[in-house]
Amino acid sequence: MNAALVTIAAAAPAIAMLGMFACLVGGVVLIVKKRDRTKGVLMLVMAAVLLANVAIWTL
């Protein structure tokens, strides 16, 4: 595998965790402020899926 792919593969879990935290915060804000509960719940589900993916990648 070339160096560029190795670098991207090493950065992918960190980028996914940043996305997970963003979805977690965004989902909580949507639910707490009673803006759009459905989208908030979907964002929390997406955060859980991202967390599970990172767990699978690293274990």
Side-chain angles (χ1 to χ4, degrees):
M1 203 181 308
N2 69 21
L5 292 178
V6 172
T7 304
I8 292 171
I15 294 168
M17 289 304 292
L18 289 173
M20 188 272 303
F21 285 121
C23 289
L24 186 68
V25 170
V28 169
V29 167
L30 285 175
I31 291 171
V32 169
K33 290 191 175 184
K34 295 181 173 50
R35 286 184 168 176
D36 195 349
R37 185 179 177 103
T38 305
K39 286 183 183 177
V41 170
L42 287 173
M43 287 180 77
L44 294 178
V45 169
M46 189 169 74
V49 169
L50 282 172
L51 181 64
N53 281 338
V54 171
I56 290 170
W57 290 338
T58 57
L59 297 178

